[in-house]
Amino acid sequence: MDWIETQRLAHPAKAEQYASLADLQRRKLWHQLTEALEKFVQLPKENGEDLMDLYTQFIKDFESKLNSLKLVQIVTVIAKSTPDVERSSSFLATVAEKVASNKEAYVLCRMELAGTKLKAGQSTESKEIIDDSEKQLATIAGAEPAVSFTFYRVVSDYNKIHGTPGEFYKNALMYLSY
């Protein structure tokens, strides 16, 4: 709780949100905490605020209590807030291993990692992740729309750069259907 208190003092505009997060964690209201975290990471960052610290100093302690799919969605926003692509990639890879028991969360996290690597110009690694994720996604009956949405978004981005126009349009239309 010390980190939360430090952040409350450092960012008075978000003091109420930090207090709410601490209260929900103290009361072990994991579902409500997950929802509050989803909203919190979407708020504009203030000077000196690092969302990666939110994960390492706060979320990491109870991440196993949160819904894996929601955790990955929160972590994705945190990873995208970091300008350092290597740090972001490493962070997503670490979280992917932690949620590996949930196939949907694992595929979602891996596809976000593939998107990050693609933006960094690491197309080979991105393609390997895409191919692996495609096989895993095929085994999931009735996957959450967020998982399929992310898969087709990243695949269409990859095909936009390296694929044929037909593959790009096919995957872009699948992306738009979710």
Side-chain angles (χ1 to χ4, degrees), residues 152-175:
Y152 288 113
R153 177 181 50 84
V154 174
V155 172
S156 68
D157 287 347
Y158 179 85
N159 285 323
K160 184 177 178 181
I161 298 168
H162 300 289
T164 63
E167 284 296 310
F168 165 69
Y169 287 114
K170 177 184 117 188
N171 288 300
L173 288 172
M174 291 298 292
Y175 161 64

Short mmCIF file of all heavy atoms in Angstrom, two decimals, residues 152-175:
data_model
loop_
_atom_site.label_atom_id
_atom_site.label_comp_id
_atom_site.label_asym_id
_atom_site.label_seq_id
_atom_site.Cartn_x
_atom_site.Cartn_y
_atom_site.Cartn_z
N TYR A 152 -6.86 -10.97 -35.94
CA TYR A 152 -7.01 -10.50 -37.32
C TYR A 152 -6.43 -9.10 -37.53
O TYR A 152 -5.96 -8.79 -38.61
CB TYR A 152 -8.48 -10.57 -37.75
CG TYR A 152 -8.92 -11.98 -37.97
CD1 TYR A 152 -9.86 -12.58 -37.13
CD2 TYR A 152 -8.37 -12.75 -38.99
CE1 TYR A 152 -10.25 -13.90 -37.33
CE2 TYR A 152 -8.74 -14.07 -39.19
CZ TYR A 152 -9.68 -14.63 -38.35
OH TYR A 152 -10.04 -15.94 -38.55
N ARG A 153 -6.42 -8.27 -36.48
CA ARG A 153 -5.79 -6.95 -36.60
C ARG A 153 -4.30 -7.09 -36.85
O ARG A 153 -3.75 -6.47 -37.77
CB ARG A 153 -6.03 -6.11 -35.34
CG ARG A 153 -5.33 -4.76 -35.37
CD ARG A 153 -5.56 -3.94 -34.11
NE ARG A 153 -5.31 -4.65 -32.87
CZ ARG A 153 -4.11 -4.78 -32.30
NH1 ARG A 153 -3.03 -4.27 -32.88
NH2 ARG A 153 -3.97 -5.42 -31.16
N VAL A 154 -3.65 -7.93 -36.07
CA VAL A 154 -2.20 -8.11 -36.21
C VAL A 154 -1.86 -8.81 -37.52
O VAL A 154 -0.92 -8.42 -38.22
CB VAL A 154 -1.61 -8.86 -34.99
CG1 VAL A 154 -0.14 -9.18 -35.20
CG2 VAL A 154 -1.81 -8.04 -33.72
N VAL A 155 -2.64 -9.83 -37.88
CA VAL A 155 -2.39 -10.54 -39.14
C VAL A 155 -2.58 -9.60 -40.33
O VAL A 155 -1.78 -9.62 -41.28
CB VAL A 155 -3.29 -11.80 -39.27
CG1 VAL A 155 -3.17 -12.42 -40.65
CG2 VAL A 155 -2.91 -12.81 -38.21
N SER A 156 -3.61 -8.76 -40.29
CA SER A 156 -3.80 -7.82 -41.40
C SER A 156 -2.67 -6.80 -41.45
O SER A 156 -2.22 -6.42 -42.54
CB SER A 156 -5.17 -7.15 -41.35
OG SER A 156 -5.27 -6.28 -40.25
N ASP A 157 -2.19 -6.36 -40.28
CA ASP A 157 -1.04 -5.44 -40.26
C ASP A 157 0.20 -6.11 -40.86
O ASP A 157 0.95 -5.49 -41.61
CB ASP A 157 -0.73 -4.98 -38.83
CG ASP A 157 -1.75 -4.00 -38.28
OD1 ASP A 157 -2.56 -3.47 -39.06
OD2 ASP A 157 -1.74 -3.79 -37.04
N TYR A 158 0.40 -7.38 -40.50
CA TYR A 158 1.54 -8.12 -41.06
C TYR A 158 1.40 -8.24 -42.57
O TYR A 158 2.36 -7.99 -43.32
CB TYR A 158 1.65 -9.51 -40.42
CG TYR A 158 2.79 -10.31 -40.98
CD1 TYR A 158 4.08 -10.16 -40.48
CD2 TYR A 158 2.61 -11.18 -42.05
CE1 TYR A 158 5.14 -10.86 -41.01
CE2 TYR A 158 3.66 -11.90 -42.58
CZ TYR A 158 4.93 -11.72 -42.06
OH TYR A 158 5.98 -12.41 -42.60
N ASN A 159 0.21 -8.63 -43.03
CA ASN A 159 0.00 -8.80 -44.47
C ASN A 159 0.04 -7.48 -45.23
O ASN A 159 0.36 -7.46 -46.41
CB ASN A 159 -1.33 -9.52 -44.74
CG ASN A 159 -1.22 -11.00 -44.44
OD1 ASN A 159 -0.19 -11.63 -44.67
ND2 ASN A 159 -2.27 -11.56 -43.88
N LYS A 160 -0.25 -6.41 -44.57
CA LYS A 160 -0.17 -5.08 -45.19
C LYS A 160 1.29 -4.79 -45.58
O LYS A 160 1.56 -4.19 -46.61
CB LYS A 160 -0.68 -4.03 -44.21
CG LYS A 160 -0.74 -2.64 -44.73
CD LYS A 160 -1.35 -1.75 -43.65
CE LYS A 160 -1.42 -0.32 -44.03
NZ LYS A 160 -1.99 0.48 -42.94
N ILE A 161 2.19 -5.27 -44.75
CA ILE A 161 3.62 -5.04 -44.99
C ILE A 161 4.24 -6.13 -45.86
O ILE A 161 4.98 -5.85 -46.79
CB ILE A 161 4.37 -4.95 -43.64
CG1 ILE A 161 3.85 -3.79 -42.81
CG2 ILE A 161 5.87 -4.82 -43.86
CD1 ILE A 161 4.32 -3.79 -41.37
N HIS A 162 3.93 -7.39 -45.57
CA HIS A 162 4.64 -8.51 -46.19
C HIS A 162 3.79 -9.44 -47.05
O HIS A 162 4.35 -10.31 -47.71
CB HIS A 162 5.31 -9.36 -45.10
CG HIS A 162 6.30 -8.60 -44.28
ND1 HIS A 162 7.51 -8.19 -44.78
CD2 HIS A 162 6.24 -8.15 -43.01
CE1 HIS A 162 8.16 -7.52 -43.84
NE2 HIS A 162 7.41 -7.48 -42.76
N GLY A 163 2.51 -9.30 -47.00
CA GLY A 163 1.67 -10.27 -47.69
C GLY A 163 1.16 -9.77 -49.03
O GLY A 163 1.48 -8.68 -49.50
N THR A 164 0.34 -10.58 -49.63
CA THR A 164 -0.29 -10.21 -50.89
C THR A 164 -1.50 -9.34 -50.57
O THR A 164 -2.05 -9.40 -49.47
CB THR A 164 -0.75 -11.48 -51.64
OG1 THR A 164 -1.75 -12.13 -50.85
CG2 THR A 164 0.40 -12.41 -51.92
N PRO A 165 -1.93 -8.54 -51.52
CA PRO A 165 -3.11 -7.71 -51.28
C PRO A 165 -4.34 -8.56 -50.91
O PRO A 165 -5.14 -8.16 -50.07
CB PRO A 165 -3.32 -6.98 -52.61
CG PRO A 165 -1.97 -6.93 -53.22
CD PRO A 165 -1.29 -8.21 -52.80
N GLY A 166 -4.49 -9.72 -51.55
CA GLY A 166 -5.63 -10.59 -51.25
C GLY A 166 -5.65 -11.03 -49.80
O GLY A 166 -6.70 -11.04 -49.15
N GLU A 167 -4.49 -11.43 -49.26
CA GLU A 167 -4.40 -11.85 -47.86
C GLU A 167 -4.68 -10.68 -46.93
O GLU A 167 -5.35 -10.83 -45.91
CB GLU A 167 -3.01 -12.44 -47.56
CG GLU A 167 -2.82 -13.83 -48.09
CD GLU A 167 -3.75 -14.82 -47.43
OE1 GLU A 167 -3.84 -14.87 -46.19
OE2 GLU A 167 -4.42 -15.55 -48.17
N PHE A 168 -4.14 -9.51 -47.29
CA PHE A 168 -4.38 -8.33 -46.47
C PHE A 168 -5.87 -8.03 -46.39
O PHE A 168 -6.43 -7.85 -45.31
CB PHE A 168 -3.63 -7.11 -47.03
CG PHE A 168 -4.10 -5.80 -46.45
CD1 PHE A 168 -3.85 -5.49 -45.12
CD2 PHE A 168 -4.82 -4.90 -47.22
CE1 PHE A 168 -4.31 -4.29 -44.58
CE2 PHE A 168 -5.27 -3.71 -46.68
CZ PHE A 168 -5.01 -3.41 -45.36
N TYR A 169 -6.55 -7.98 -47.54
CA TYR A 169 -7.97 -7.65 -47.55
C TYR A 169 -8.81 -8.71 -46.85
O TYR A 169 -9.76 -8.40 -46.14
CB TYR A 169 -8.47 -7.40 -48.97
CG TYR A 169 -7.97 -6.08 -49.51
CD1 TYR A 169 -7.09 -6.01 -50.57
CD2 TYR A 169 -8.37 -4.89 -48.92
CE1 TYR A 169 -6.62 -4.80 -51.04
CE2 TYR A 169 -7.91 -3.66 -49.38
CZ TYR A 169 -7.03 -3.62 -50.44
OH TYR A 169 -6.57 -2.43 -50.89
N LYS A 170 -8.46 -9.97 -47.03
CA LYS A 170 -9.20 -11.05 -46.37
C LYS A 170 -9.13 -10.89 -44.85
O LYS A 170 -10.14 -10.93 -44.17
CB LYS A 170 -8.62 -12.40 -46.79
CG LYS A 170 -9.29 -13.59 -46.10
CD LYS A 170 -8.62 -14.89 -46.47
CE LYS A 170 -8.05 -15.47 -45.22
NZ LYS A 170 -7.22 -16.61 -45.40
N ASN A 171 -7.92 -10.69 -44.34
CA ASN A 171 -7.75 -10.55 -42.89
C ASN A 171 -8.28 -9.22 -42.37
O ASN A 171 -8.79 -9.15 -41.25
CB ASN A 171 -6.29 -10.75 -42.51
CG ASN A 171 -5.89 -12.20 -42.64
OD1 ASN A 171 -6.45 -13.07 -41.99
ND2 ASN A 171 -4.94 -12.48 -43.52
N ALA A 172 -8.19 -8.18 -43.18
CA ALA A 172 -8.75 -6.89 -42.77
C ALA A 172 -10.27 -6.98 -42.64
O ALA A 172 -10.86 -6.43 -41.71
CB ALA A 172 -8.36 -5.79 -43.77
N LEU A 173 -10.92 -7.70 -43.55
CA LEU A 173 -12.36 -7.88 -43.46
C LEU A 173 -12.74 -8.74 -42.24
O LEU A 173 -13.75 -8.47 -41.58
CB LEU A 173 -12.92 -8.49 -44.74
CG LEU A 173 -12.94 -7.54 -45.94
CD1 LEU A 173 -13.31 -8.29 -47.21
CD2 LEU A 173 -13.88 -6.38 -45.70
N MET A 174 -11.94 -9.74 -41.95
CA MET A 174 -12.19 -10.54 -40.75
C MET A 174 -12.03 -9.69 -39.50
O MET A 174 -12.81 -9.79 -38.55
CB MET A 174 -11.25 -11.76 -40.70
CG MET A 174 -11.54 -12.80 -41.76
SD MET A 174 -13.18 -13.52 -41.62
CE MET A 174 -13.03 -14.43 -40.12
N TYR A 175 -11.03 -8.83 -39.49
CA TYR A 175 -10.79 -7.91 -38.39
C TYR A 175 -11.99 -6.99 -38.20
O TYR A 175 -12.48 -6.80 -37.08
CB TYR A 175 -9.50 -7.12 -38.68
CG TYR A 175 -9.31 -5.84 -37.92
CD1 TYR A 175 -9.18 -5.84 -36.53
CD2 TYR A 175 -9.21 -4.63 -38.58
CE1 TYR A 175 -8.98 -4.67 -35.83
CE2 TYR A 175 -9.00 -3.45 -37.88
CZ TYR A 175 -8.89 -3.48 -36.53
OH TYR A 175 -8.68 -2.31 -35.84
#
